[in-house]
Amino acid sequence: MGRGEELFAEAQRYIPGGVNSPVRAFRSVGSTPVFAARGKGAYIWDADGRRYTDYIGSWGPLILGHAFPAVTEAICEAAKNGATFGLPTEREVRMARLITELVKGVEMVRMVSSGTEAVLSAIRAARGFTGRELIVKFSGCYHGHSDSMLVKAGSGLATAGIPDSAGVPAGTAAGTLTCRYNDLEEMKEIFAAGRDKIAAVVVEPVGANMGVVLPAPGFLEGLREITAAAGSLLIFDEVITGFRVSLNCASGYFGVTPDLWTFGKIIGGGLPVGAYGGRRDVMSVVAPLGPVYQAGTLSGNPVATAAGLAALETLKNDSGVYRKLSEKGEKLRTGLASVFKNHGIEASVQGLESLATVFFTPAPVSSYDDAKKSDTARYARFWKSMEKRGILLAPSQFEAIFLSAAHSEDDIEYFISAADEAARAGEI
Ligand SMILES: *Cc1c(COP(=O)(O)O)cnc(C)c1O
């Protein structure tokens, strides 16, 4: 038995399923967890010393790669001066100012400790500001695990949200309506039925939790118009896209300005961080300025803020970083697409910038309904064939490949040639 297997056996005695977040169980590819021991740049080493090129990237935060020196130094330096005070610190001011400088439309920012917390807080602020209760989300979009966001696809106002998880009160789920991604017609119907009750529409401006699904041309603009006309707020959940698709986030990239934003992942530099922000008048409802309560013992934590600030400042000061990420993403997507085409494997390789997903579908995916048509057994075979060759992909069809600045051209070429070899060997 390897060390990883030993650890997993022991973990299952003390931790539900042996993991602290379900996707780490690797069940949907019929495997068991890779126990990580250390990481450097684009690589990780597991508990048995096996090296992988890592395309999970901790599910989004690691745009600079593992143990990026400036981030590691910032963490150590901050920790030496005290891990937490429960008092405001200078770096929180710098972080908030930097976000407002980089993201057009963000005038005020509140820091929290996870993406989940960012979204639930932004929703509370939206409800407090509008005095309305309903929230519309899109099926296939993930906004963290708060009760009101764990809601399955229903259709329009007629079908109130049905909880996607046990333990979510039906009454809570009923406050969340769902719409098909990229479907403005359905959104118009939802607003026709209840426009004066809808506090906000929350959307991933690039869907990245059902595999990577791009917003169709006009989709985000349409959401902006519909919400503005109804006096509802538009919330961009940029926990993945923020500072990944561009330094100015997805709102800057697509030129659509929501009322509120949520951030996480990259802004923590690998430590637990989230933030929400937006229009000054909306953010002014948050306590102690206004009546919407939201708080956190470790919010704006000095060590986490130092890590996030180091990451953001690196991204801001390296003028070529996004162009290079973009080129590598393009190279990977076109390379993989031609491998599958050459071997007669039905696949849609989608994404943009440093994000990608290989959907084993005959047609491009533009909604969760499309994504669900994927051949997940084939994805599991693909996953295993790559794992065998030292390439670590997300253990699910419905996740993203995350590239980092640390992935080299050679890493990308190796990935493409490994896929070609596996396809040739009939392993996919
Ligand atoms: C990861 C994610 C979240 C939740 O963030 P956590 O830090 O895991 O709580 C929310 N929204 C989106 C779009 C995410 O990808």
Side-chain angles (χ1 to χ4, degrees), residues 38-402:
R38 69 188 174 93
K40 184 68 198 158
Y43 307 112
I44 64 167
W45 286 262
D46 73 7
D48 294 288
R50 226 186 127 205
R51 192 188 90 159
Y52 292 94
T53 313
D54 179 22
Y55 289 94
I56 299 177
S58 192
W59 309 90
L62 300 180
I63 194 165
L64 297 168
H66 292 274
F68 186 77
V71 174
T72 308
E73 280 157 28
I75 291 171
C76 295
E77 209 44 52
K80 280 184 209 155
N81 288 311
T84 179
F85 304 105
L87 297 170
T89 56
E90 183 178 335
R91 280 195 209 88
E92 292 164 74
V93 187
R94 282 171 52 201
M95 173 68 102
R97 190 177 60 217
L98 184 57
I99 293 175
T100 62
E101 280 166 11
L102 294 176
V103 193
K104 185 178 152 270
V106 177
E107 295 174 314
M108 290 184 123
V109 183
R110 171 61 67 80
M111 292 194 70
V112 293
S113 298
S114 69
T116 295
E117 225 188 317
V119 177
L120 76 86
S121 307
I123 284 173
R124 188 179 300 144
R127 285 175 164 153
F129 180 78
T130 58
R132 302 174 181 183
E133 291 198 354
L134 296 179
I135 300 291
V136 189
K137 76 178 280 292
F138 293 89
S139 32
C141 284
Y142 178 68
H143 302 292
H145 67 91
S146 68
D147 282 352
S148 67
M149 288 293 99
L150 286 182
V151 172
K152 216 181 194 102
S155 180
L157 262 188
T159 351
I162 303 160
D164 216 9
S165 160
V168 174
T172 304
T176 306
L177 311 176
T178 56
C179 178
R180 189 206 305 256
Y181 200 76
N182 278 325
D183 191 341
L184 284 177
E185 290 313 310
E186 188 179 3
M187 186 56 80
K188 283 178 194 154
E189 284 165 25
I190 291 170
F191 271 81
R195 54 185 284 136
D196 55 346
K197 299 186 190 66
I198 297 169
V201 171
V202 57
V203 65
E204 289 184 75
V206 175
N209 282 289
M210 52 178 146
V212 181
V213 175
L214 302 190
F219 174 60
L220 299 173
E221 292 83 349
L223 294 180
R224 180 63 287 182
E225 275 170 34
I226 293 167
T227 48
S232 306
L233 300 184
L234 180 61
I235 306 173
F236 275 7
D237 180 351
E238 297 231 32
V239 171
I240 282 185
T241 53
F243 310 99
R244 175 162 290 275
V245 299
S246 87
L247 186 61
N248 311 112
C249 300
S251 55
Y253 189 85
F254 293 109
V256 177
T257 308
D259 304 293
L260 290 175
W261 285 251
T262 57
F263 304 105
K265 299 192 171 127
I266 287 175
I267 65 160
L271 269 64
V273 172
Y276 65 107
R279 274 165 49 184
R280 183 177 304 279
D281 57 343
V282 180
M283 291 304 289
S284 298
V285 301
V286 177
L289 270 188
V292 172
Y293 191 70
Q294 184 273 310
T297 302
L298 294 177
S299 292
N301 171 264
V303 183
T305 308
L309 206 48
L312 287 187
E313 280 169 353
T314 301
L315 292 167
K316 184 185 162 194
N317 295 332
D318 179 349
S319 59
V321 67
Y322 287 99
R323 182 182 46 76
K324 283 183 234 157
L325 280 164
S326 183
E327 286 167 5
K328 283 184 280 190
E330 190 58 28
K331 180 175 180 144
L332 180 64
R333 287 186 299 271
T334 46
L336 290 177
S338 67
V339 166
F340 296 126
K341 188 159 180 281
N342 293 343
H343 292 282
I345 296 170
E346 281 185 340
S348 176
V349 184
Q350 303 189 182
L352 83 173
E353 303 301 321
S354 55
L355 294 168
T357 294
V358 177
F359 283 109
F360 290 107
T361 49
V365 171
S366 68
S367 69
Y368 192 43
D369 289 340
D370 296 342
K372 281 189 292 195
K373 292 179 193 142
S374 303
D375 183 345
T376 52
R378 179 165 252 173
Y379 183 84
R381 293 197 297 276
F382 174 55
W383 185 88
K384 285 202 182 84
S385 74
M386 293 298 98
E387 193 272 343
K388 187 171 123 179
R389 291 172 176 83
I391 291 170
L392 191 63
L393 302 179
S396 160
Q397 169 70 88
F398 307 106
E399 301 287 354
I401 289 169
F402 289 100

